[in-house]
Amino acid sequence: MKFHVALIAAALSSVAGFSSVGSANLAKWKKNVEFNPVEAGGWAKLTELAEDPKGKLLELLKESLETEGDKIQGKFADKTGELNALITLLEAQGKGFDSDLIDGEWLIVLSMNSGKSPKIQKLVGSTEKFKSSFSNFDTESLTFHNIAQSKRKNIEASLDYKPVAEGFSVVDGKIIVRRIACTITSTKFKVWKLPTLSSKDGKFKCGFLPSVPLPKKLQGPTGWLDFAYLDEDIRITKGNRGGVSIHVRDGVL
């Protein structure tokens, strides 16, 4: 009997300890962002998630990949609120764009597109496989290269970028750079056995046909990315069209 009581007391003590950690984190981060406890499933759930937001997000992503057979777009119908809450908790920590951390290869894990996202972006996001799509940064040349591959298609886009002052946030009295302005410099789109479509230096090319000038409104379309969170393992970005993407380093999941 005493043994059972001791076990219960230890369990309650552990729960109380975790709750105190989550509560302390919420108290520290709530001045940086606006939380939505209803979406997260209540204050108790939000407090639980605040204990270790990064660890819980990686667990959620790994679980989705295993359940969906390595599909990037896992089914989050019952966990969308939890996912959004974890992203907000990480954003509150003030880890924005960092040129030292961003350099190199990144694997896309999840892409949540808004109603403003182009149809082509929605199509790609719904069919990608984990470790088949990348977004790799070269900080020396201030460029990054997106690659989305599957059995029947290959989509590539190269972009120039530069950090900008807009979109910054202030966390614990420090200015956090969040935004990079992006300009597409080249694209390539290949579907099955159809001719390859590509654009570069203001010109469009279809297969072996001669290049033709692109209309000015289609040359070098610009946009931006806001870095909600970035560390050595994971990056979360929000695009100007409302989409949210999560990338990880190889070996993290």
Side-chain angles (χ1 to χ4, degrees), residues 189-208:
F189 184 49
K190 174 69 174 176
V191 177
W192 199 41
K193 297 180 180 181
L194 298 176
T196 299
L197 305 177
S198 62
S199 68
K200 188 175 182 179
D201 298 329
K203 294 183 178 181
F204 172 77
K205 187 174 177 60
C206 178
F208 296 103

Side-chain angles (χ1 to χ4, degrees), residues 18 40 60-61 79 83 87 92 125 127-128 150 152 163-164 195 207 251 253:
F18 285 134
L60 186 61
L61 295 173
K79 293 190 176 181
L83 180 64
I87 291 173
T127 57
E128 291 169 357
S150 69
R152 294 193 175 186
V164 295
L253 290 179

Side-chain angles (χ1 to χ4, degrees), residues 113-148:
N113 299 313
S114 72
K116 297 180 181 179
S117 297
K119 291 182 179 179
I120 183 77
Q121 184 179 346
K122 293 181 179 181
L123 175 63
V124 172
S126 64
T127 57
E128 291 169 357
K129 292 281 188 176
F130 185 47
K131 295 191 176 182
S132 68
S133 299
F134 307 84
S135 181
N136 305 328
F137 274 73
D138 182 347
T139 54
E140 186 174 346
S141 62
L142 291 179
T143 61
F144 67 96
H145 192 59
N146 291 335
I147 306 171

Side-chain angles (χ1 to χ4, degrees), residues 62-217:
K62 185 175 181 180
E63 177 186 340
S64 173
L65 289 173
E66 292 174 348
T67 302
E68 301 301 321
D70 267 0
K71 285 183 181 178
I72 287 178
Q73 295 294 84
K75 295 180 180 178
F76 287 95
D78 58 339
K79 293 190 176 181
T80 302
E82 182 176 337
L83 180 64
N84 289 334
L86 288 168
I87 291 173
T88 302
L89 287 165
L90 289 170
E91 186 173 6
Q93 297 180 31
K95 296 184 178 182
F97 177 81
D98 185 317
S99 59
D100 292 328
L101 292 175
I102 194 60
D103 196 42
E105 183 177 285
W106 293 87
L107 302 170
I108 188 166
V109 189
L110 182 68
S111 180
M112 299 184 293
N113 299 313
S114 72
K116 297 180 181 179
S117 297
K119 291 182 179 179
I120 183 77
Q121 184 179 346
K122 293 181 179 181
L123 175 63
V124 172
S126 64
T127 57
E128 291 169 357
K129 292 281 188 176
F130 185 47
K131 295 191 176 182
S132 68
S133 299
F134 307 84
S135 181
N136 305 328
F137 274 73
D138 182 347
T139 54
E140 186 174 346
S141 62
L142 291 179
T143 61
F144 67 96
H145 192 59
N146 291 335
I147 306 171
Q149 301 172 325
S150 69
K151 290 182 179 179
R152 294 193 175 186
K153 72 172 181 292
N154 182 70
I155 302 174
E156 300 182 28
S158 295
L159 303 93
D160 291 338
Y161 78 88
K162 63 177 180 180
V164 295
E166 293 84 357
F168 74 92
S169 61
V170 179
V171 176
D172 297 330
K174 297 180 181 179
I175 295 177
I176 307 299
V177 176
R178 298 280 189 188
R179 183 167 299 178
I180 59 173
C182 311
T183 302
I184 296 176
T185 55
S186 67
T187 62
K188 184 165 69 173
F189 184 49
K190 174 69 174 176
V191 177
W192 199 41
K193 297 180 180 181
L194 298 176
T196 299
L197 305 177
S198 62
S199 68
K200 188 175 182 179
D201 298 329
K203 294 183 178 181
F204 172 77
K205 187 174 177 60
C206 178
F208 296 103
L209 296 176
S211 300
V212 297
L214 278 170
K216 283 190 176 182
K217 65 179 180 180

